[in-house]
Amino acid sequence: MTDGRRVAILGATGSIGAATLDVIANLQKYAPDSGWCVASVSGHRRIGQLIESAHKASPVPQTIVVSDEQNARCAGDLIAKAGLAERCRLDVGPEALVRAAISPDVDTVVAGIVGRAGLESTLEAVRAGKRVGLANKETLVIAGPVVTAAAEKSGAELLPIDSEHSAIYQCLAEARENATAKTSPSSPAGMHTQPGVNGPSGVNGPPGSNGQCEFGSPGHKLPGVRRLILTASGGPFLNASFDEMEAATPAEALNHPTWDMGQKITIDSATMMNKSLEIIEAKWLFDVPADRIEVVVHPQSIIHSLVEFEDGSVIAQLSPPDMRLPIQYALTYPYRLPCPAPPLERTQRWDMSLIPVDHERFPALQLGFEVARVGGTAGVVLNGANETAVPLFLSGKIRFTDIARLCKQTLDDHHHESAPSLDRLLELDTWSRRRAAELAETISVA
């Protein structure tokens, strides 16, 4: 593949998109002759912000994608007003996201579209063999086996942008080197010479695929690794009682103590459903069983994740809570370059606590372990139910604690299938949303 410097930002108006634009601008300043550029940007409804982002990029993107067809006329007018009509091509509709993802003018796709809406474009980028900076965890939650099989076939690189999975990826460097040494000792790890999926060997793919080694004990992948440990901030309700959580308002749930994120992911953090989805993502991304994944609460959001090895050693990745670092890591891997994210301030005291999770107050977390254990259709059902429940809570139609209840009941009501096709997964996405909405009608918030 190429150096990955022509970047498509899918979801450019969200927090991930804005951070990616900042990272690329910084890379251009650091290495002005390196060829880093934004090849395309996409947005759905915040069209003014999308056009402003395109206008600020240098050079301006070749393509501006507006996935909501109802905003096409508005986008065209704003592009003309900004003086971009001669330099940018407007592409409209959901299919335009796929066209941007597979374009031969794109090396790397940053998958930053929130939720199920990002599935098709991310999957097609993988099928096209692109490097994919994966911020859209729902793609793997919904269709993990489909995506990982496509990556194995195409040679695409899946580089995680979620801070927790990026941390694990970084902590696994030694294990990946050991895996590569066992399978291709003469081939050094590098941007152009990495066999297997996800760049370096031994990260995912079916047993027996190029670069696979055992994960700790027999039957698992990557040598010497015992456990992956995801950290969770605990969100705004870390110390709240169940009664306080049941009475929580949307404003309280959106008041995250350490991260500045969009509404949906902030509510997911408050319920710990975000961590539940990350458990499932880790299962597919690193090809590990659910019983080798752990979650601990770390309120300071400095330790982003840890890896425990068979000898008892634990390696962690630390940095201030800023998404620009994992984004840049996904773009420039395996190289480390100066980043606009702030460094860890070492002239002040840092308290870095690790706290066991309270599963009774955060029942959503257990759903993630169960879905990661059974696989199949469970992921798409959990995600569809959650994407339905969160807006219902934000609009005052259900209580905060009803989110996890709705998701569990929707999971319980579905007939599990272990090896579904992509079409079947998409059918169940529709079914799960409808079922969750039906269940919500039976809830009284009075």
Side-chain angles (χ1 to χ4, degrees):
M1 63 174 289
T2 67
D3 285 346
R5 294 172 179 173
R6 299 174 298 175
V7 183
I9 307 175
L10 304 186
T13 59
S15 58
I16 293 295
T20 303
L21 288 163
D22 191 37
V23 165
I24 293 174
N26 185 73
L27 288 170
Q28 291 172 331
K29 292 177 183 177
Y30 172 74
D33 298 325
S34 63
W36 286 103
C37 68
V38 180
S40 57
V41 292
S42 85
H44 191 67
R45 291 196 178 93
R46 287 179 280 182
I47 306 306
Q49 182 182 342
L50 177 67
I51 305 307
E52 182 181 354
S53 297
H55 192 262
K56 288 181 178 178
S58 180
V60 297
Q62 293 178 346
T63 305
I64 297 175
V65 174
V66 175
S67 54
D68 184 354
E69 294 174 336
Q70 295 182 358
N71 283 315
R73 187 169 191 174
C74 171
D77 292 343
L78 289 174
I79 288 172
K81 186 176 181 181
L84 298 177
E86 299 299 321
R87 294 180 287 168
C88 298
R89 181 176 67 90
L90 175 62
D91 201 1
V92 178
E95 300 82 4
L97 293 171
V98 172
R99 288 191 287 271
I102 66 174
S103 168
D105 296 323
V106 167
D107 307 310
T108 297
V109 174
V110 173
I113 298 173
V114 176
R116 178 258 176 273
L119 171 61
E120 284 86 354
S121 54
T122 305
L123 176 57
E124 291 307 317
V126 171
R127 285 174 170 165
K130 307 292 186 182
R131 170 176 286 200
V132 177
L134 191 64
N136 174 270
K137 63 177 67 66
E138 291 86 357
T139 292
L140 288 178
V141 171
I142 293 169
V146 176
V147 176
T148 53
E152 177 68 21
K153 182 177 180 180
S154 70
E157 296 176 294
L158 295 177
L159 276 295
I161 282 179
D162 269 343
S163 61
E164 296 83 358
H165 300 83
S166 176
I168 289 173
Y169 197 90
Q170 295 176 60
C171 292
L172 286 173
E174 179 185 350
R176 287 199 303 272
E177 289 177 5
N178 290 341
T180 302
K182 288 182 69 174
T183 56
S184 53
S186 63
S187 178
M191 179 80 75
H192 308 287
T193 60
Q194 299 148 0
V197 182
N198 286 353
S201 303
V203 178
N204 72 5
S209 64
N210 190 15
Q212 291 302 316
C213 293
E214 292 190 347
F215 183 101
S217 302
H220 307 302
K221 307 297 183 289
L222 290 176
V225 177
R226 179 183 294 166
R227 190 169 286 107
L228 309 182
I229 306 169
L230 300 168
T231 57
S233 68
F237 302 133
L238 174 59
N239 299 310
S241 68
F242 182 83
D243 288 344
E244 290 171 328
M245 292 167 72
E246 190 160 54
T249 66
E252 291 169 335
L254 289 168
N255 186 27
H256 198 284
T258 55
W259 288 100
D260 181 13
M261 306 175 291
Q263 284 195 338
K264 196 268 183 181
I265 192 172
T266 303
I267 298 300
D268 284 351
S269 179
T271 61
M272 284 209 188
M273 184 62 77
N274 191 47
K275 209 56 50 180
S276 179
L277 300 179
E278 288 174 5
I279 292 166
I280 305 164
E281 181 184 10
K283 168 200 168 70
W284 296 113
L285 190 61
F286 301 108
D287 197 11
V288 300
D291 62 3
R292 293 302 180 104
I293 303 171
E294 227 175 85
V295 174
V296 295
V297 174
H298 171 59
Q300 297 84 10
S301 298
I302 298 296
I303 303 172
H304 296 291
S305 277
L306 313 91
V307 174
E308 181 183 32
F309 293 85
E310 290 289 4
D311 61 1
S313 296
V314 176
I315 295 179
Q317 188 267 331
L318 284 69
S319 61
D322 191 308
M323 288 305 298
R324 289 175 293 181
L325 194 151
I327 289 169
Q328 179 167 304
Y329 186 80
L331 293 180
T332 65
Y333 178 84
Y335 308 109
R336 291 188 184 268
L337 305 175
C339 180
L344 187 65
E345 177 57 61
R346 295 179 293 278
T347 61
Q348 67 182 59
R349 171 176 170 167
W350 287 97
D351 293 321
M352 300 187 195
S353 52
L354 297 176
I355 306 168
V357 174
D358 185 338
H359 288 273
E360 290 188 6
R361 287 191 302 120
F362 296 100
L365 198 60
Q366 198 56 44
L367 297 178
F369 283 110
E370 179 62 17
V371 169
R373 185 183 67 80
V374 301
T377 54
V380 67
V381 172
L382 175 64
N383 184 74
N386 183 59
E387 288 193 15
T388 302
V390 169
L392 290 173
F393 165 67
L394 289 172
S395 62
K397 296 179 181 177
I398 62 173
R399 294 178 293 266
F400 177 78
T401 49
D402 290 329
I403 296 174
R405 292 191 191 111
L406 276 181
C407 292
K408 183 180 186 307
Q409 188 59 55
T410 306
L411 271 172
D412 290 344
D413 289 352
H414 109 281
H415 176 71
H416 180 262
E417 301 170 35
S418 59
S421 65
L422 180 61
D423 287 343
R424 180 59 177 151
L425 290 170
L426 297 180
E427 288 174 2
L428 284 170
D429 175 69
T430 301
W431 175 87
S432 63
R433 294 167 190 271
R434 183 175 64 248
R435 182 57 181 155
E438 292 169 353
L439 291 168
E441 293 291 331
T442 68
I443 294 174
S444 171
V445 295

